[in-house]
Amino acid sequence: MELPQNVVIVGAGIAGLTTSLGLHRLGIQSLVLESSSNLRTTGFAFSTWTNAWKALDAIGLGDYLRNLHQRIDEVVAISSVTGQPDAKIFLKSKGKHGEHEVRCVRRKLLLEALAQELPHGTIRFSSKVVSIDQSDYFKLVYLDDGTIIKTKVLIGCDGVNSVVTKWLGFEKPIFTGRSAMRAYTNFNAKHGYAPKFLQFFGNGFRAGLLPCDETTIYWFFTHSDNKLEEDPAKWKQFVLSKLENASYEQLRKVVEATEIDSIMPSHLTYRNPWELLWRNASKGNVCVAGDAFHPMTPDLGQGGCSALEDGVVLARCLAEALKEDQVIGDKEEYERIEVGLKKYAAERKWRGFQLVTTSYLVGIIQQSDGKLLSFLRDNVLAKFLAGLFLKIPDFDCGNLKNKFSS
């Protein structure tokens, strides 16, 4: 038995739910397939920059999430070699697209906000996609429970190990040789930390912290050790062993106060940026978004932000393709969908290339413990790198409706 759907989105992460909500705002229903039994809240939090707030405003969630998260006033980059601030970025300045805005958003709160705005039944949990097939102008999506869904549009937002991305012919993401630990600390009272994003880099690691609100702080630690300990207590101890210098005092106190089950380790992967240029993110009535399209290292804090951008652009392009009211033939509809998805892919290709490439290079430079690169970073490149943290997010993905739309 085949269940018919107009639009199927695989993955109820940031990109998938943003796309679904964007389509809903434009009057188009979608079905979101999520393999887990509930919303995936791993990752805890992420830095949400100006470009992300433009996207959140476009789907109508910006003000709600602003009220739940503290605004960051300043980014301070501190060299792990010298222990001194190499650069400071004051965030209450203006760029091409208005005033810069940075907050650290709890992933759980974001996903819940996205899901709550969707019609009941939009998300189908415990629905793992095992294969994809073609049926005339439709795609057949096979689930592990035996269900077959027949859809006019298939969108893959199913992360770095995406089934849809594999179907499009993309290679597996590349391991960078670096690993990360991400965590949040809940003090259950006012933590007293200033609204600053502190970053420490060099000596083989990169680390940082920033408040989410008055009681919780998010922190991260990336390093070049390829092995991840199985014992969670050893993860925490490893980080603390790297933070014995007095210049890390604020970060060390936060790590010490972190519960073991609030630490998430992971290997860092990314998409070969050249593959984004020579391989298509869409094929016929299929496309990908978010980490399924352009997985990147976290060194610019743009993974979640770019997923929000993708969702808005994809919803806009697809809605333009599906906006006609009259009944048309399958071939006509298929061709119009194909054009819409190609438009999305073309609009996001170079943006994805820029983010993946820049994130990877910034991570290598900031984490390096080589003498020459450390010298150049601390004495020549510091202000340039700091500037990237404002330049890259100074971007507006636009509203849901094209300015030429009626």
Side-chain angles (χ1 to χ4, degrees), residues 44-66:
F44 304 121
F46 66 99
S47 52
T48 309
W49 295 76
T50 311
N51 53 322
W53 291 106
K54 297 288 186 185
L56 288 169
D57 285 336
I59 58 174
L61 290 180
D63 288 341
Y64 170 75
L65 290 166
R66 285 185 180 96

Side-chain angles (χ1 to χ4, degrees), residues 82-93:
T82 66
Q84 299 298 316
D86 273 357
K88 293 184 178 182
I89 309 171
F90 296 99
L91 297 173
K92 290 188 176 180
S93 57

Side-chain angles (χ1 to χ4, degrees), residues 77-86 199-207 242-243 245-248 364-379:
I78 301 170
S79 170
S80 297
V81 178
T82 66
Q84 299 298 316
D86 273 357
Q199 293 195 58
F200 304 88
F201 53 85
N203 279 340
F205 70 88
R206 176 177 173 271
K242 298 292 185 178
L243 303 178
N245 190 292
S247 60
Y248 309 132
I364 294 297
I365 294 170
Q366 288 196 329
Q367 190 171 308
S368 173
D369 56 358
K371 290 184 178 180
L372 177 59
L373 193 53
S374 296
F375 174 82
L376 292 174
R377 178 191 61 224
D378 296 343
N379 296 278

Side-chain angles (χ1 to χ4, degrees), residues 264-276:
M264 184 188 74
S266 61
H267 291 303
L268 298 183
T269 61
Y270 75 112
R271 174 85 60 215
N272 183 333
W274 298 110
E275 191 178 12
L276 295 175

Side-chain angles (χ1 to χ4, degrees), residues 202-402:
N203 279 340
F205 70 88
R206 176 177 173 271
L209 67 88
L210 65 166
C212 294
D213 50 42
E214 292 184 338
T215 62
T216 59
I217 290 180
Y218 171 71
W219 62 268
F220 62 86
F221 183 95
T222 67
H223 59 103
S224 299
D225 189 344
N226 295 347
K227 298 179 181 179
L228 290 175
E229 295 284 353
E230 294 184 6
D231 183 357
K234 291 183 178 180
W235 304 334
K236 181 176 178 179
Q237 197 55 46
F238 174 78
V239 175
L240 290 172
S241 70
K242 298 292 185 178
L243 303 178
E244 295 177 348
N245 190 292
S247 60
Y248 309 132
E249 182 180 3
Q250 292 187 73
L251 177 56
R252 184 179 177 84
K253 287 182 177 180
V254 173
V255 176
E256 288 175 340
T258 303
E259 297 291 336
I260 296 298
D261 58 2
S262 294
I263 302 175
M264 184 188 74
S266 61
H267 291 303
L268 298 183
T269 61
Y270 75 112
R271 174 85 60 215
N272 183 333
W274 298 110
E275 191 178 12
L276 295 175
L277 299 185
W278 60 263
R279 203 178 289 279
N280 294 320
S282 73
K283 180 181 179 182
N285 56 352
V286 180
C287 75
V288 287
D291 283 345
F293 179 19
H294 44 62
M296 65 190 73
T297 63
D299 302 288
L300 286 177
Q302 283 295 317
C305 299
S306 59
L308 288 165
E309 290 180 15
D310 283 353
V312 172
V313 176
L314 179 50
R316 180 174 66 233
C317 292
L318 185 55
E320 289 173 4
L322 297 174
K323 68 183 178 181
E324 300 295 336
D325 295 329
Q326 68 268 26
V327 177
I328 57 176
D330 289 341
K331 184 178 180 181
E332 262 186 274
E333 189 174 39
Y334 178 89
E335 289 175 348
R336 204 167 61 203
I337 290 168
E338 183 177 30
V339 170
L341 296 185
K342 281 184 176 180
K343 182 178 180 181
Y344 153 78
E347 187 171 339
R348 297 304 294 165
K349 175 182 291 188
W350 284 102
R351 176 67 170 167
F353 177 84
Q354 176 195 40
L355 293 175
V356 171
T357 304
T358 308
S359 294
Y360 178 78
L361 292 176
V362 166
I364 294 297
I365 294 170
Q366 288 196 329
Q367 190 171 308
S368 173
D369 56 358
K371 290 184 178 180
L372 177 59
L373 193 53
S374 296
F375 174 82
L376 292 174
R377 178 191 61 224
D378 296 343
N379 296 278
V380 180
L381 298 174
K383 290 185 178 179
F384 171 75
L385 292 173
L388 286 177
F389 281 91
L390 288 185
K391 182 178 180 181
I392 295 294
D394 190 13
F395 180 88
D396 188 352
C397 64
N399 297 317
L400 284 174
K401 290 188 178 181
N402 188 295

